[in-house]
Amino acid sequence: MMLYARQMNIGIETVMMPTRAQGLLLILLLHLVLSPSAGQSICTGTETFDKVTGVLLNSASLTPLYSAVGNTVTAECNNRCRASQDCPAFLIDYDEEACYRLDTNSDDNRELIVPSRGRRTNYFEKVCLQAPACEKAWIYERVPGYELEGYDDRVIGEVGTRQRCQELCLLETEFQCKSAEYVYNTLQCRLSRETRRSQPASYRATTEDLVYLENQCARDKRPQNCQYDEYENQDIGYADIQVSARNPKECGEQCDQTSAFNCRSFTYFPGTGVCRLSGDDNISTGPEAVTVRRGAQYYQRSPCLDLSLVCTGESMTVTLTTEEPFEGRLYAQKKGRECEVRGKSRTSTELTFYFEEEAAARCGTVQEDAGVYSNVIVVQHHPVIQRKGDRAVQLYCYFETGDKVVTNSYNVLADTIDGVDSSTPSSVVNATAPSPGVRLRITTETGEDISGTRLGEKLFLRIEMDRESIFGIFARNLKAISGDDADSIDLLDERGCPTDPVIFPGLQQLPNSRDLQGNFEAFKFSDTSVVRFQVNVQFCVDECNPVDCGDDIFSYGKRRRRDADENGVAVTLPPRTTSVPEPYASRLVYDPNLGQEVISMDTPLSREIIVDPGTKIDSFRDPRAETKFGPGGVFIQAGDFGDGDVVCTTLPVVVATGAAVVFLQLCILVTCILCIYTAKRGKKTDRQIDRQSLHSGSSVTPHPPPTLYHDNLTFRRRSFQLTKISDPQ
């Protein structure tokens, strides 16, 4: 040992100093040499991880840490990196079902964090927090460049590091700090009791040098009236734990009971019984992460409803309580505009249904039984359109007990309608001086045109040029209009900017093309299933400049040039590099918004789709239903259609249904004939046996039936044997 110490510092023997000092220095050198964590700081607080979704750490060295094809890796990767002193961070590649140890982290250079485009990855960075924490696999989720605008409950200045801001959120006692923002250049820490999920409209990108921090220890208590939104044949692909379940309900219960992380979504595979739980949803990953996967059922937490119902001798009054001012609609499902209340920017919204015969008929209130009244209300969060997550709730009033009941809730819209011809085709407009050919399409993720869909389905709005052209295209004034022209909503304004990026995020130019595309989730209007899209298109020489809409949103429809500077002085435009033939050249008009010359179409493009209004209601068992319907009776039935709803089919379906009915009738007829024939033959045989008995003087001795108990029990045992669950493909 002494020899090793002298090799590490040859000056120990040559330096003249007291013997005691030499001994102390020697002990210090031995500690530095033999310590397994030499060169690394030891955490004296809570060692945990920060999670950053959908990113990579640029230029970092990747060392394989763990992989498990057909299974999830998050837990094992977390445990291995936590136990290693040489693992400052790790990266999970969900597509490869593997994770990698990194040789560095982003502490010294935040610019190393870059988006992992086209790959499903999560970056986990080891941190040390000097504050009380919870038993979570990661305590904070970080989102660089995003903020929760307008919800700062406490602002603290001169906070030296991001970690200290995180600690202050954990240490906050006056309110539950659910999220924080740290501004690097001003050293400012902002604490909030809200999150990007409780206030999605205020969560947005920013040009400030800051980071959004979401506290995973502040898990919300979910009210009773909560559920999951279902996405059939889709998957998010960010699975953190894999378990087995018999059905989606059991899979959801396991998600609710998970304590290692906040489970926000799950995917169930009915064919194998595999249940995959995830700490991500389409808010953290972005809507594009949810992709088609046949045989998968993806479920994501939807907003909870805080409803109460008060019943009197004359009426029932339902009250919706929200944390933020409500500006949507509360209305009777079957009556719509005839019986509704619109939010007035208050946190409490009431709707009353009267039992008097005329009022009950007007609002669709039904007397189910003696002393039992019911109605179905729809909670629509947007004032004009319905979106996935809006809910319909069955209400019951029982007069014999005076109970107040709000039953289970369900999604407003469900099964798909497809293959329905649209009444308005795509339009190609020709005027006196013809515009370049262009068309409007509504497609699926695979590029297939659709005319019918279901609420919440991921769709794409595309504006395409019919052929190669010298022009680029730009869109503005995109509207969605109800089929009866009673309601409309602006999706793009006069500048071409999205009015509400949550509903429609804008248009982007497709790579190697002049076509424009924007994705959105299918929505509908309250009183009709038909949604018509209408847009004005302009043509620019070469390419159109994208508009800078602020908040890092660019839409086609960056202003690069103006006809005047900031002081209003005219600016000379550069000459065009592309010659424009007649008759187009004479139609060019300068557009100050785009800073270039354009040609406007004379007629807007239009396209209609039908959004399925079919409802699906969760089964609900109520103790009072036992006496009326028997044990296990279903108290609520699904499949009702309101006034004006559309049910569509096709000729092959009609033919197949007719053939099936005819075939069934033939089967019944043949069965009847066989039964009659068998009965007559049996009587004839009995008479023959009687004659033989009389002649022979003997009786017929019946043989006992063969015993089947052993085989039957064996079959039952086999039927209850567990089958090994295979991994989803």
Side-chain angles (χ1 to χ4, degrees):
M1 298 295 292
M2 293 292 291
L3 177 61
Y4 185 69
R6 284 195 287 267
Q7 289 174 344
M8 290 299 298
N9 193 337
I10 194 169
I12 291 178
E13 295 183 343
T14 61
V15 176
M16 299 299 294
M17 61 177 61
T19 304
R20 185 173 181 178
Q22 290 179 350
L24 291 174
L25 182 58
L26 180 60
I27 292 172
L28 178 61
L29 288 171
L30 287 173
H31 175 74
L32 292 174
V33 170
L34 299 178
S35 174
S37 59
Q40 293 189 18
S41 60
I42 299 176
C43 180
T44 58
T46 302
E47 188 175 71
T48 181
F49 291 94
D50 283 354
K51 171 184 168 183
V52 190
T53 297
V55 300
L56 298 168
L57 198 65
N58 200 15
S59 74
S61 176
L62 303 180
T63 302
L65 187 63
Y66 179 72
S67 66
V69 177
N71 210 326
T72 55
V73 300
T74 305
E76 186 64 24
C77 297
N78 187 292
N79 293 335
R80 292 192 180 195
C81 187
R82 191 185 296 269
S84 173
Q85 295 292 337
D86 298 325
C87 183
F90 68 93
L91 183 81
I92 295 182
D93 190 321
Y94 291 91
D95 295 327
E96 296 180 0
E97 296 176 323
C99 62
Y100 302 88
R101 175 176 62 84
L102 308 183
D103 61 344
T104 185
N105 58 28
S106 66
D107 278 347
D108 297 329
N109 190 353
R110 302 189 306 275
E111 302 300 325
L112 293 178
I113 297 180
V114 296
S116 57
R117 304 191 185 280
R119 297 172 60 185
R120 293 184 176 94
T121 64
N122 277 343
Y123 168 69
F124 294 83
E125 184 171 291
K126 191 179 290 185
V127 295
C128 181
L129 301 177
Q130 303 295 328
C134 57
E135 294 297 325
K136 298 290 185 185
W138 57 90
I139 293 181
Y140 276 98
E141 293 182 357
R142 286 159 44 188
V143 188
Y146 275 77
E147 67 175 345
L148 194 65
E149 187 178 32
Y151 291 93
D152 300 334
D153 293 294
R154 187 187 299 279
V155 179
I156 308 171
E158 301 301 323
V159 178
T161 64
R162 184 198 72 243
Q163 287 87 342
R164 182 54 185 163
C165 183
Q166 293 172 293
E167 294 167 353
L168 291 172
C169 183
L170 294 172
L171 293 168
E172 180 59 49
T173 57
E174 292 188 8
F175 59 90
Q176 187 181 33
C177 179
K178 297 181 180 179
S179 69
E181 296 161 5
Y182 183 70
V183 187
Y184 289 100
N185 53 1
T186 63
L187 305 182
Q188 190 180 75
C189 179
R190 309 167 183 168
L191 309 183
S192 175
R193 66 186 81 210
E194 302 293 340
T195 69
R196 53 183 168 174
R197 291 178 176 83
S198 64
Q199 300 297 336
S202 299
Y203 177 69
R204 61 192 63 185
T206 178
T207 56
E208 284 191 88
D209 187 14
L210 59 73
V211 60
Y212 171 81
L213 307 163
E214 191 165 287
N215 181 9
Q216 302 304 293
C217 294
R219 186 173 184 178
D220 293 330
K221 293 182 179 180
R222 291 174 62 80
Q224 180 182 0
N225 217 1
C226 298
Q227 67 173 26
Y228 289 88
D229 289 333
E230 179 183 356
Y231 298 74
E232 190 176 359
N233 290 319
Q234 297 181 66
D235 185 19
I236 196 170
Y238 282 80
D240 294 307
I241 291 181
Q242 180 169 302
V243 295
S244 60
R246 291 172 293 182
N247 50 57
K249 180 181 178 182
E250 187 176 297
C251 187
E253 291 173 351
Q254 298 200 53
C255 184
D256 293 336
Q257 296 166 6
T258 298
S259 60
F261 57 88
N262 291 335
C263 181
R264 297 191 175 95
S265 66
F266 65 89
T267 302
Y268 182 69
F269 298 85
T272 59
V274 168
C275 169
R276 290 190 156 191
L277 314 181
S278 175
D280 285 304
D281 54 17
N282 63 14
I283 296 177
S284 59
T285 63
E288 65 278 358
V290 181
T291 56
V292 174
R293 184 170 185 177
R294 298 298 176 188
Q297 297 176 3
Y298 173 67
Y299 296 83
Q300 176 175 301
R301 290 190 188 277
S302 62
C304 302
L305 295 181
D306 186 356
L307 289 172
S308 62
L309 181 65
V310 176
C311 300
T312 68
E314 296 78 27
S315 65
M316 63 167 70
T317 299
V318 60
T319 302
L320 170 67
T321 303
T322 56
E323 293 185 2
E324 293 302 312
F326 182 70
E327 298 179 350
R329 295 177 62 207
L330 203 62
Y331 63 92
Q333 185 189 40
K334 293 185 177 181
K335 296 300 179 179
R337 296 178 184 276
E338 299 178 21
C339 197
E340 69 168 355
V341 61
R342 293 182 178 268
K344 298 180 179 179
S345 298
R346 299 173 182 172
T347 57
S348 180
T349 306
E350 293 184 353
L351 179 60
T352 299
F353 303 106
Y354 292 95
F355 301 139
E356 186 267 327
E357 185 175 352
E358 183 178 344
R362 181 174 62 86
C363 288
T365 303
V366 178
Q367 186 172 358
E368 299 281 347
D369 205 345
V372 181
Y373 287 85
S374 72
N375 206 329
V376 178
I377 64 164
V378 175
V379 181
Q380 178 180 305
H381 292 84
H382 192 277
V384 179
I385 61 173
Q386 287 182 2
R387 293 181 290 171
K388 195 175 186 69
D390 289 345
R391 308 271 288 284
V393 181
Q394 183 89 44
L395 308 176
Y396 284 94
C397 275
Y398 300 90
F399 283 97
E400 64 275 16
T401 62
D403 288 346
K404 297 176 290 184
V405 179
V406 179
T407 75
N408 202 8
S409 54
Y410 55 90
N411 285 336
V412 179
L413 302 178
D415 301 329
T416 304
I417 296 176
D418 213 342
V420 184
D421 290 336
S422 173
S423 59
T424 303
S426 302
S427 58
V428 178
V429 179
N430 290 307
T432 305
S435 301
V438 65
R439 61 176 178 167
L440 174 64
R441 299 175 59 205
I442 308 295
T443 72
T444 64
E445 193 170 9
T446 57
E448 300 173 355
D449 287 286
I450 64 103
S451 54
T453 186
R454 61 179 180 181
L455 196 72
E457 197 75 13
K458 187 176 181 179
L459 301 178
F460 293 84
L461 185 146
R462 297 171 62 107
I463 303 176
E464 300 177 344
M465 301 284 287
D466 281 347
R467 60 184 184 274
E468 289 297 326
S469 172
I470 63 170
F471 294 100
I473 52 178
F474 176 85
R476 64 178 77 224
N477 294 326
L478 172 63
K479 296 177 179 291
I481 306 170
S482 63
D484 55 6
D485 293 326
D487 290 314
S488 67
I489 180 175
D490 291 332
L491 304 179
L492 296 179
D493 60 18
E494 174 65 25
R495 297 184 304 151
C497 292
T499 58
D500 188 344
V502 175
I503 300 175
F504 190 81
L507 293 170
Q508 301 297 323
Q509 189 172 13
L510 294 176
N512 303 318
S513 170
R514 299 193 178 185
D515 300 338
L516 304 182
Q517 176 176 284
N519 65 286
F520 65 100
E521 291 186 353
F523 57 83
K524 68 180 286 290
F525 295 91
S526 306
D527 302 324
T528 177
S529 300
V530 178
V531 180
R532 183 169 74 254
F533 295 90
Q534 183 175 294
V535 63
N536 292 328
V537 176
Q538 290 182 334
F539 303 91
C540 315
V541 181
D542 294 326
E543 292 187 357
C544 294
N545 300 329
V547 171
D548 185 357
C549 301
D551 294 330
D552 279 352
I553 298 176
F554 291 85
S555 182
Y556 278 84
K558 200 154 130 182
R559 303 181 186 174
R560 299 178 182 172
R561 304 176 286 172
R562 296 182 183 269
D563 59 341
D565 61 14
E566 299 296 333
N567 298 320
V569 179
V571 177
T572 302
L573 294 175
R576 294 193 297 265
T577 58
T578 303
S579 64
V580 181
E582 290 293 348
Y584 301 121
S586 60
R587 298 184 60 195
L588 287 172
V589 178
Y590 180 75
D591 188 323
N593 286 328
L594 295 181
Q596 60 188 138
E597 295 176 308
V598 301
I599 298 174
S600 297
M601 288 191 66
D602 299 315
T603 305
L605 299 178
S606 180
R607 179 72 177 178
E608 276 186 5
I609 62 172
I610 297 175
V611 182
D612 180 15
T615 59
K616 183 197 298 182
I617 307 177
D618 293 337
S619 297
F620 174 76
R621 292 184 176 90
D622 187 273
R624 284 172 286 268
E626 298 287 335
T627 57
K628 180 177 178 180
F629 300 102
V634 178
F635 197 41
I636 302 176
Q637 295 181 348
D640 295 334
F641 291 89
D643 296 338
D645 291 340
V646 180
V647 179
C648 302
T649 184
T650 59
L651 181 61
V653 172
V654 174
V655 173
T657 303
V661 172
V662 173
F663 178 74
L664 179 61
Q665 292 176 341
L666 289 175
C667 290
I668 294 174
L669 180 62
V670 171
T671 302
C672 292
I673 294 173
L674 289 176
C675 289
I676 295 172
Y677 174 76
T678 303
K680 290 183 177 179
R681 185 175 181 182
K683 290 180 180 179
K684 183 178 180 181
T685 303
D686 290 342
R687 288 195 296 269
Q688 291 176 353
I689 293 175
D690 292 340
R691 294 193 194 99
Q692 293 175 2
S693 299
L694 291 172
H695 287 293
S696 63
S698 61
S699 61
V700 179
T701 303
H703 296 283
T707 302
L708 298 177
Y709 296 115
H710 176 73
D711 293 340
N712 197 30
L713 287 174
T714 303
F715 174 76
R716 287 181 179 273
R717 285 198 296 269
R718 288 174 180 170
S719 67
F720 281 92
Q721 288 178 349
L722 295 177
T723 305
K724 183 179 179 182
I725 299 174
S726 60
D727 298 318
Q729 300 297 321

